[in-house]
Amino acid sequence: MAAVKAVLPTKDEVMTRSIPMEKVRNIGIIAHIDAGKTTVTERILHHTGRTHKIGGVDEGTAVMDWMDQERERGITIMAAATTCHWAEHRINIIDTPGHVDFTAEVERSLRVLDGGVVILDAVSGVEAQSEMVWRQADRYHVSRICFVNKMDRVGADFFRTVASIESRLGAVAVPVQLPLGSESAFRGVIDLLEQKAVVFQDDPQAPLIIEDVPEGEAECVARWRHLLVEKLAEHDDTILLPYLEGQNIPAPLIRQSLRRLTAANKVVPVICGSALRGKGVTPLLDAIVAYLPSPADVPPAVAHDVTGSREILCVPDDNEPVAALAFKVVSDPFMGRLIYMRVYSGRLKSGAQVLNTSRMKRERIGRLYLMHSNRREEVTEAEAGSIVAAVGLRGTSTGDTLCSPARPLLFESIRFAEPVMSMAIEPRAKADAEKLEDVLGKLVDEDPSFKVRQNPETGQALIMGMGELHLEVTIERMAREFGIRVNVGKPRVAYREAITRAVETEGRFVRQTGGRGQYGHVWLKLEPGERGSGFKFVDAIKGGVIPREYVPAIQAGAREAIETGGPAGYPVVDVVVSAYDGSYHEVDSSELAFKIASSIAVKNGLPRAKPVLLEPIMKLEITTPSQFTGEMVGDLNARRARIERIDAQGDLTVIGCLIPLGETFGLATALRSLSQGRVTHTMEFSRYEQVPAGIAEQLISTS
């Protein structure tokens, strides 16, 4: 296996040169946190001549981790795009986060990619987030190769990692390399296709040394090569016949088969190396070019007409009408809104007018850019299969379809998980209140997994995200990028009160201040309603004891009183208020007087109606590996959850339960801790139920 020299285009060539679609690769670097994704990307950029200095995650100099928070924490927070060239191929790369709190960045990146490089730690093997991103890649039919990283670490085991790919991910792992040594003795790889040893030198930029396979490794190499061919023969008839005839299958035929089966998601080639030392990066680039598909190798993107009744296939052809999907929005302080998009068909040109069919608005493309992390290179047009960023699209958001007005179509939008954690915020300076609203709008525009809502009952602004780190980073961004500092705290639970017995109550409002006074007198009956029925008002006044024109005011007064709150200060729900008696004054009575009298009657009657406290109950479903079921159930019981079902689904367990909202704070973090980060859960509102007496007393005393 000979080393391939990088082809380094000039800046003008990058901007104007047309590369055949068969030589374009749109790939993502995906993995569990700390597996080495950004380090791999940095080495790829250096090997391809895209950067002239190697960036380091630990030193805070990584090109792809450009945010201050990323460099300080040593983790990727926002997916970053770049473009490089290798062996006359253009490789568009998106480096994605590994932390579960930023899974939305992985989701939208995989939606527009054709292939992915899954980085695995040679010591840890398949980890929790590896499973999650693998399932996301399955959902979008993204072809993958695996790079077993950190082969020079103590405890590195290539063969154990390959076994974990098959057992935990359910993939057909096909090693195309074997390590030459391991841990501190790792010095190269054995190419199973060419049956040659590839030795890495200490200088990562030095040429690879190609040698014969060491004598002691010959038997192992023969066994693994036979296994490689056997796995290919199970899925590819072009390999099956010569395999059955016992022929020695040449490397080019194996390589072609691997490419076809990888593009079809039937096998996953596995290679290895140590990105930090620059070992194995050249073979990785060769594998990306050799095995991962081009836009022409994957099925055409499926869209529908705007009515949704007819399917439209977007063939990756420059001569087709343009069709693109916006998958990311970034608020650039100098450029404004940058819209990242994948062009599926046609040519997207600067200044062209396109139709946003998601919002049925016409938009004009401003300038187009190839992105290199947070730096830009302007281009005049983007061909089919390209990933570019555009400015000037004011009404376009994540998941919107942009297409030619001559062929209106609509891609399926990107679905994101609902936020699992919320936090109350308020600006430290009152003068920042209006600015905060604008900043929150920009953050919501950028991040579909970040949401904001105003709680009308508690008066708090709630920010919602995927976890504590997600919200913490967002609050830091408010301070650093927008200059707004906020106070944060745990949001209040929206408790309710309900009465348990019927009472009759009187309200009288009389004021005499000289001249015309105020007079209102009403008798009301308060009764418990059915759970979930809300507020009901009954007009039971007979005999004209109160004129009809005052009845709406009586109803309004009663409604306001129960919404203001009962004895514990929480709104009262599920109550029937009947007005049945009272009196009026021909001169002094007014709508205001009867409204106040009705409110007084309700306030007087609620304490005697034996009110109880109600709490919101959430419907929670947890999916966890079966070995953690006991720990999950124990934690849920401690949180007053009621387990309704426990179902087995293969090696996973699904737990369905009802849990009080007040007990769910910190739940996401606790579940991840108990399951080594391998749990997923969904939660939605179910109903209100009575709070146990002991807990109700504590809540009332502290409210």
Side-chain angles (χ1 to χ4, degrees):
M1 176 175 143
V4 181
K5 187 177 180 181
V7 177
L8 307 180
T10 66
K11 184 177 180 181
D12 290 338
E13 286 178 319
V14 169
M15 293 182 181
T16 61
R17 173 183 178 186
S18 178
I19 293 179
M21 191 177 303
E22 293 74 20
K23 293 190 175 184
V24 173
R25 302 289 183 270
N26 294 316
I27 68 167
I29 310 294
I30 55 178
H32 186 90
I33 191 170
D34 286 336
K37 296 179 301 302
T38 301
T39 302
V40 168
T41 308
E42 295 291 326
R43 297 309 182 272
I44 286 176
L45 294 178
H46 189 62
H47 270 68
T48 57
R50 195 67 174 83
T51 59
H52 301 290
K53 181 180 179 182
I54 299 176
V57 175
D58 294 336
E59 295 81 16
T61 58
V63 173
M64 303 303 283
D65 286 349
W66 57 271
M67 291 176 64
D68 290 340
Q69 294 97 317
E70 292 178 315
R71 294 185 170 183
E72 289 170 6
R73 298 170 186 270
I75 61 172
T76 300
I77 292 171
M78 293 183 69
T82 188
T83 300
C84 61
H85 292 77
W86 182 256
E88 298 184 353
H89 286 68
R90 183 171 72 205
I91 305 175
N92 298 318
I93 301 174
I94 297 182
D95 178 30
T96 64
H99 198 285
V100 67
D101 281 13
F102 308 106
T103 186
E105 290 288 311
V106 184
E107 187 82 21
R108 60 182 170 189
S109 299
L110 288 174
R111 172 67 174 81
V112 298
L113 294 173
D114 303 318
V117 178
V118 182
I119 312 297
L120 299 171
D121 189 319
V123 178
S124 305
V126 175
E127 299 174 85
Q129 191 67 4
S130 308
E131 292 183 65
M132 183 174 290
V133 298
W134 194 273
R135 290 196 296 267
Q136 289 173 301
D138 281 342
R139 187 156 57 246
Y140 296 116
H141 310 291
V142 175
S143 304
R144 280 144 281 175
I145 62 176
C146 288
F147 180 73
V148 181
N149 193 23
K150 305 183 181 182
M151 281 299 303
D152 55 351
R153 278 186 63 194
V154 174
D157 190 327
F158 175 79
F159 302 103
R160 183 181 63 209
T161 302
V162 171
S164 70
I165 294 172
E166 298 199 320
S167 62
R168 292 185 62 172
L169 302 179
V172 180
V174 181
V176 295
Q177 295 175 354
L178 297 181
L180 199 57
S182 64
E183 300 182 349
S184 60
F186 178 69
R187 61 190 184 93
V189 296
I190 298 173
D191 185 345
L192 290 178
L193 277 67
E194 302 288 351
Q195 299 184 82
K196 291 288 185 179
V198 182
V199 180
F200 307 129
Q201 299 192 57
D202 291 336
D203 179 4
Q205 295 299 311
L208 303 176
I209 300 173
I210 311 300
E211 301 177 346
D212 291 333
V213 175
E215 291 184 8
E217 302 286 346
E219 185 180 340
C220 179
V221 168
R223 185 173 71 253
W224 278 95
R225 193 179 196 276
H226 179 81
L227 185 60
L228 163 63
V229 174
E230 185 179 279
K231 287 184 176 181
L232 297 181
E234 291 176 6
H235 301 280
D236 191 342
D237 290 343
T238 61
I239 299 292
L240 179 61
L241 186 59
Y243 169 74
L244 293 175
E245 292 176 350
Q247 298 179 21
N248 182 29
I249 302 174
L253 190 61
I254 295 177
R255 194 170 285 110
Q256 292 169 15
S257 177
L258 272 169
R259 179 173 180 77
R260 284 194 300 271
L261 296 179
T262 302
N265 277 311
K266 293 183 178 179
V267 302
V268 179
V270 184
I271 60 179
C272 62
S274 173
L276 187 63
R277 311 296 174 205
K279 297 180 178 181
V281 178
T282 299
L284 171 60
L285 283 162
D286 292 341
I288 289 171
V289 167
Y291 305 130
L292 290 180
S294 72
D297 295 325
V298 297
V302 177
H304 290 85
D305 64 4
V306 290
T307 65
S309 59
R310 183 170 60 89
E311 191 176 272
I312 300 173
L313 296 180
C314 295
V315 179
D317 188 329
D318 295 343
N319 298 317
E320 289 280 306
V322 70
L325 177 69
F327 67 94
K328 184 179 173 72
V329 177
V330 173
S331 296
D332 188 283
F334 304 105
M335 306 294 297
R337 295 174 82 244
L338 269 173
I339 310 296
Y340 287 67
M341 62 183 74
R342 162 73 187 265
V343 183
Y344 283 101
S345 67
R347 288 177 180 263
L348 192 65
K349 298 183 179 181
S350 253
Q353 192 175 77
V354 293
L355 177 65
N356 183 334
T357 48
S358 302
R359 304 176 190 277
M360 296 310 295
K361 289 184 178 180
R362 288 182 181 256
E363 296 255 40
R364 185 172 294 281
I365 302 290
R367 292 186 294 276
L368 290 172
Y369 298 97
L370 284 178
M371 298 303 298
H372 178 50
S373 187
N374 62 331
R375 296 194 289 277
R376 302 166 295 275
E377 293 174 352
E378 189 170 351
V379 295
T380 56
E381 65 179 19
E383 303 159 341
S386 299
I387 293 177
V388 292
V391 295
L393 302 170
R394 296 184 179 180
T396 300
S397 297
T398 300
D400 287 359
T401 300
L402 299 169
C403 62
S404 167
R407 186 181 68 170
L409 53 82
L410 200 59
F411 290 114
E412 182 182 355
S413 191
I414 309 171
R415 297 178 183 176
F416 298 98
E418 286 298 311
V420 298
M421 183 170 288
S422 58
M423 185 181 291
I425 65 166
E426 62 181 13
R428 292 184 186 176
K430 289 186 178 180
D432 286 340
E434 193 171 318
K435 187 179 177 184
L436 176 62
E437 189 175 337
D438 180 57
V439 168
L440 289 175
K442 289 181 178 179
L443 292 171
V444 169
D445 188 33
E446 281 190 21
D447 186 354
S449 64
F450 175 73
K451 296 188 177 180
V452 179
R453 72 178 175 87
Q454 199 76 23
N455 189 332
E457 296 152 357
T458 63
Q460 292 175 308
L462 298 181
I463 58 173
M464 295 171 282
M466 301 306 296
E468 292 172 290
L469 180 60
H470 186 196
L471 295 179
E472 184 183 325
V473 166
T474 302
I475 290 167
E476 282 186 18
R477 288 190 63 197
M478 290 182 201
R480 295 186 183 197
E481 296 177 28
F482 303 101
I484 293 184
R485 299 191 178 277
V486 296
N487 296 321
V488 300
K490 189 171 77 171
R492 292 173 56 191
V493 175
Y495 291 101
R496 299 285 189 272
E497 293 182 66
I499 60 175
T500 57
R501 74 171 186 177
V503 296
E504 295 181 350
T505 178
E506 180 186 20
R508 185 187 295 269
F509 180 69
V510 181
R511 289 288 184 274
Q512 196 66 44
T513 57
R516 182 174 177 177
Q518 296 285 354
Y519 182 92
H521 175 220
V522 65
W523 278 91
L524 304 178
K525 185 175 184 180
L526 309 182
E527 300 174 278
E530 293 183 5
R531 190 67 72 231
S533 61
F535 169 77
K536 288 186 178 180
F537 179 80
V538 177
D539 177 8
I541 296 172
K542 296 179 180 178
V545 293
I546 299 176
R548 283 275 170 255
E549 62 263 28
Y550 298 136
V551 173
I554 295 172
Q555 178 178 350
R559 182 186 293 276
E560 285 186 11
I562 68 166
E563 289 177 352
T564 302
Y570 298 104
V572 181
V573 295
D574 306 334
V575 61
V576 179
V577 178
S578 303
Y580 66 93
D581 202 359
S583 61
Y584 74 103
H585 190 278
E586 290 185 357
V587 177
D588 292 346
S589 287
S590 66
E591 289 185 0
L592 176 62
F594 273 101
K595 183 178 180 180
I596 295 174
S598 176
S599 179
I600 292 171
V602 171
K603 293 292 185 183
N604 291 339
L606 285 176
R608 296 186 287 111
K610 291 192 174 180
V612 295
L613 202 61
L614 303 179
E615 61 185 348
I617 302 296
M618 311 301 288
K619 185 178 180 182
L620 174 67
E621 185 175 279
I622 296 170
T623 303
T624 176
S626 299
Q627 64 262 40
F628 304 116
T629 303
E631 290 89 339
M632 295 291 165
V633 172
D635 185 74
L636 292 172
N637 287 334
R639 295 174 182 270
R640 298 194 287 125
R642 297 198 304 275
I643 309 294
E644 293 192 315
R645 61 185 177 87
I646 299 178
D647 300 328
Q649 292 184 357
D651 60 349
L652 299 175
T653 298
V654 179
I655 304 171
C657 66
L658 295 173
I659 184 170
L661 177 60
E663 301 288 350
T664 62
F665 298 118
L667 175 66
T669 303
L671 293 180
R672 289 174 190 161
S673 176
L674 291 170
S675 65
Q676 300 174 11
R678 295 167 62 189
V679 69
T680 59
H681 73 281
T682 59
M683 189 165 60
E684 61 182 345
F685 173 75
S686 176
R687 58 180 180 268
Y688 274 90
E689 288 185 0
Q690 184 175 341
V691 179
I695 295 174
E697 290 177 7
Q698 295 176 15
L699 291 171
I700 294 171
S701 64
T702 57
S703 64

